[in-house]
């Protein structure tokens, strides 16, 4: 399921977050999550403040793109990430939260931000494949 959120020059992170949590993510408690600006090629990311204008963030991403590139910076994404782990040793009863955590761990491993043993990579890959197949989102990559 995809969710489109229109933004304009006055749209702040908090406005998008409210729509995401009410209509898209279905998180029971979104307290630990946030919207991040991610530049894959630079291996850099940062959480957006709730009063940041998203049009400014996107404009900076376009400025960072090479001349003649499409209207988006290559390797730039806005993502929802878990920012803090209030209960790091427990599994949430919220399946939406667990799926987001698994996708975040997968992305961190694939991009070298979370080193782990090969046995753990195999286990996480099996979990991700199971989730992808159950949701019809398997692409054959990663």
């Amino acid at each position: 399921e995809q969710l489109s959120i229109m933004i304009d020059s006055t749209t702040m992170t908090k406005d998008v977050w409210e729509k995401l949590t009410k209509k898209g993510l279905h998180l029971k408690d979104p307290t630990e999550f946030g919207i991040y600006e991610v530049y894959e090629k630079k291996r850099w990311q940062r959480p957006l403040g709730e009063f940041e204008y998203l049009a400014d963030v996107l404009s900076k991403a376009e400025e960072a793109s090479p001349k003649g590139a499409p209207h988006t910076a290559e390797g730039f994404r806005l993502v929802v990430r878990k920012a803090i782990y209030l209960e790091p040793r427990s599994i949430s009863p919220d399946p939406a939260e667990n799926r987001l955590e698994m996708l975040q761990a997968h992305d961190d491993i694939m991009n070298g931000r979370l080193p782990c043993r090969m046995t753990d990579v195999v286990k996480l890959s099996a979990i991700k494949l199971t989730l992808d197949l159950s949701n019809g989102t398997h692409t054959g990559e990663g």
Side-chain angles (χ1 to χ4, degrees):
E1 174 185 341
Q2 289 189 349
L3 174 68
S4 296
I5 299 175
M6 301 296 291
I7 68 165
D8 61 26
S9 61
T10 64
T11 305
M12 294 183 181
T13 305
K14 68 181 180 85
D15 303 322
V16 171
W17 186 245
E18 184 177 302
K19 291 177 184 174
L20 270 174
T21 56
K22 287 185 179 176
K23 296 180 183 174
L25 297 177
H26 308 292
L27 289 168
K28 293 177 184 169
D29 180 14
T31 307
E32 300 173 1
F33 291 86
I35 299 175
Y36 280 67
E37 145 183 46
V38 177
Y39 290 85
E40 293 296 338
K41 290 199 174 201
K42 296 178 183 178
R43 300 180 82 169
W44 180 83
Q45 60 185 343
R46 76 172 184 93
L48 298 180
E50 68 177 307
F51 296 106
E52 285 191 62
Y53 293 104
L54 286 179
D56 291 345
V57 173
L58 296 173
S59 177
K60 289 175 186 173
E62 285 182 4
E63 288 175 14
S65 67
K67 298 294 182 219
H71 295 290
T72 58
E74 189 175 335
F76 169 79
R77 298 182 299 156
L78 291 174
V79 298
V80 173
R81 296 185 60 82
K82 187 151 190 173
I84 57 172
Y85 291 85
L86 297 177
E87 295 290 335
R89 294 181 183 224
S90 65
I91 295 175
S92 171
D94 183 354
E97 181 177 338
N98 292 332
R99 177 166 173 71
L100 285 173
E101 286 182 18
M102 189 280 309
L103 291 171
Q104 180 175 333
H106 177 265
D107 186 62
D108 285 345
I109 291 168
M110 295 301 292
N111 289 294
R113 291 185 298 267
L114 182 62
C116 64
R117 298 176 305 206
M118 185 53 74
T119 55
D120 295 330
V121 170
V122 171
K123 289 176 188 175
L124 287 169
S125 296
I127 293 169
K128 182 176 184 314
L129 180 60
T130 302
L131 286 170
D132 288 350
L133 291 173
S134 69
N135 291 324
T137 59
H138 180 63
T139 62
E141 298 177 11

